[in-house]
Amino acid sequence: MPETIKNVHRSPNSYPRDWRRPTSNAPRSLRTKLWENLGENCESVKTLVEPPKRPSINVSEQKKFEDLVFWWIKETSASSSLLKKVIHPAYQRIMAKGPSVIPLILKEMKRRPGHWFWALEYLTEGQNPAANSRTLT
Amino acid sequence: MTMDEWLNAENIEDILPNIVGHYKETSKATIDYNCLSWAVELTDTFIDPENRCVGYSWPDGAEREWTTAACRKVLAYYGYVEECDDGSFEDEYVKVAMYVDESGAPTHFARQIVDGNWTSKLGDFIDVVHHNLSCIEGNDHQHYGTAKYYFKKKGPKSTWPPSEEPLKSLTDSPA
């Protein structure tokens, strides 16, 4: 057995980058099959589950997001009304980017508190990951 | 300049140029509370009708909208049941001024403190003590319009923010 495969057995966290660990969301039969095959042939496992594409965030998207956040803060920080804040064009443009912007919002919340629950609620279709917080630490 | 520096610096003077020389910063920038919270002496909640998240609140009984009628009910909920004509100093009362924009929508709230000055939370910016109500007025889209409605409740005025160095003596201070 190649060394890399042994490593996979030793630590589930040491999967190669292009793999995805089986999750509880995967169909049970598929998960079982995956684990059965894992010990024998990693390549066959790789073909069983096509790793879903994770939303990739490139530098320009990050920059565009930060520019929008800065625009939004500059023009709405003096207001005390949440509605005024969230109908601002910059905030609307951030929401229009879709779920791929969620990691950037969460990252922004780690940096500083903000009124992001509205956007997160919209982007997660009600399953707001930050419903109980204005910041992430 | 980072966004944090921008929020904490005196950029409020760019947005509200008439405040220059008439205010004293009394807190760092925070979004834990807003001007309405600060007006009713709360610092642990952001009073807004869009209170769908922890940290935001809106009293029962007030319409869930940012209107003068709904904000009147919010102020009444916190004891400001009497409406008055102006922001003149009255010994036994605490007064709150409601600012409205040209469309009549509420934009800001300020509370009178013990030395006759006013205290405001400026959006997500800092808290300030300001000498008069007019220094944060203005009709630019980021300004607070005009102080138009006044409310009062019986009770001692807040001594916070501390006013050892008042901006101006009460006798010089217009209402």
Side-chain angles (χ1 to χ4, degrees):
Chain A
M1 183 179 292
E3 181 61 25
T4 52
I5 295 176
K6 286 181 186 172
N7 286 341
V8 169
H9 284 291
R10 277 201 295 270
S11 167
N13 294 325
S14 63
Y15 286 175
R17 276 180 180 274
D18 59 338
W19 282 30
R20 181 178 165 82
R21 290 174 60 190
T23 67
S24 57
N25 293 330
R28 183 167 178 77
S29 58
L30 186 62
R31 289 173 61 206
T32 307
K33 209 170 178 182
L34 190 150
W35 286 109
E36 283 170 355
N37 283 272
L38 188 60
E40 296 168 8
N41 188 338
C42 284
E43 282 305 311
S44 68
V45 174
K46 203 171 171 182
T47 60
L48 280 174
V49 181
E50 182 66 29
K53 297 259 189 259
R54 296 190 67 175
S56 58
I57 300 161
N58 60 41
V59 176
S60 73
E61 281 178 358
Q62 172 93 32
K63 178 74 171 61
K64 278 181 196 168
F65 175 79
E66 286 176 1
D67 288 347
L68 287 171
V69 172
F70 200 6
W71 176 24
W72 176 59
I73 287 179
K74 280 184 90 166
E75 295 205 349
T76 65
S77 289
S79 172
S80 284
S81 162
L82 271 181
L83 192 59
K84 270 192 176 176
K85 292 177 189 293
V86 302
I87 62 171
H88 188 273
Y91 197 89
Q92 293 293 310
R93 284 190 201 179
I94 289 169
M95 289 206 298
K97 286 180 178 294
S100 68
V101 82
I102 292 173
L104 292 173
I105 293 177
L106 297 178
K107 192 175 168 187
E108 170 67 18
M109 290 177 75
K110 282 184 180 175
R111 291 172 64 193
R112 66 177 70 79
H115 304 284
W116 290 110
F117 77 91
W118 187 298
L120 288 172
E121 194 171 79
Y122 168 78
L123 293 167
T124 60
E125 297 180 3
Q127 297 175 358
N128 189 343
N132 294 319
S133 181
R134 282 178 292 199
T135 184
L136 294 175
T137 51
Chain B
M1 180 184 286
T2 67
M3 279 184 273
D4 293 324
E5 286 167 343
W6 189 84
L7 269 175
N8 283 300
E10 291 179 353
N11 284 286
I12 195 66
E13 294 184 2
D14 292 335
I15 295 172
L16 305 168
N18 295 333
I19 203 174
V20 177
H22 293 284
Y23 81 106
K24 184 168 66 174
E25 182 177 337
T26 53
S27 84
K28 290 197 180 293
T30 175
I31 65 161
D32 287 348
Y33 54 96
N34 60 356
C35 60
L36 183 48
S37 315
W38 184 240
V40 297
E41 300 183 54
L42 296 176
T43 56
D44 59 352
T45 184
F46 193 106
I47 301 178
D48 192 279
E50 297 297 333
N51 61 326
R52 291 182 295 173
C53 173
V54 168
Y56 301 83
S57 65
W58 190 252
D60 292 338
E63 295 82 4
R64 296 171 68 88
E65 55 190 27
W66 194 258
T67 58
T68 51
C71 288
R72 272 191 171 89
K73 289 183 181 172
V74 174
L75 289 171
Y77 179 87
Y78 289 105
Y80 293 88
V81 289
E82 292 183 60
E83 198 158 344
C84 46
D85 294 332
D86 55 38
S88 59
F89 190 87
E90 291 183 52
D91 270 338
E92 295 181 343
Y93 289 92
V94 190
K95 288 192 174 180
V96 165
M98 183 196 292
Y99 290 71
V100 294
D101 63 18
E102 287 169 319
S103 71
T107 55
H108 183 66
F109 298 85
R111 171 169 43 88
Q112 196 173 42
I113 56 174
V114 71
D115 61 4
N117 287 312
W118 296 82
T119 181
S120 283
K121 170 76 165 75
L122 302 175
D124 294 340
F125 277 99
I126 54 177
D127 298 349
V128 295
V129 170
H130 46 105
H131 170 53
N132 55 46
L133 292 169
S134 61
C135 68
I136 55 173
E137 287 182 336
N139 285 319
D140 181 83
H141 75 288
Q142 289 213 68
H143 288 176
Y144 293 134
T146 311
K148 188 168 182 184
Y149 303 109
Y150 302 89
F151 305 85
K152 64 182 181 180
K153 75 170 180 181
K154 206 155 195 172
K157 291 180 186 63
S158 171
T159 54
W160 176 260
S163 52
E164 304 87 39
E165 297 174 12
L167 298 171
K168 223 170 180 184
S169 69
L170 182 59
T171 50
D172 296 335
S173 172

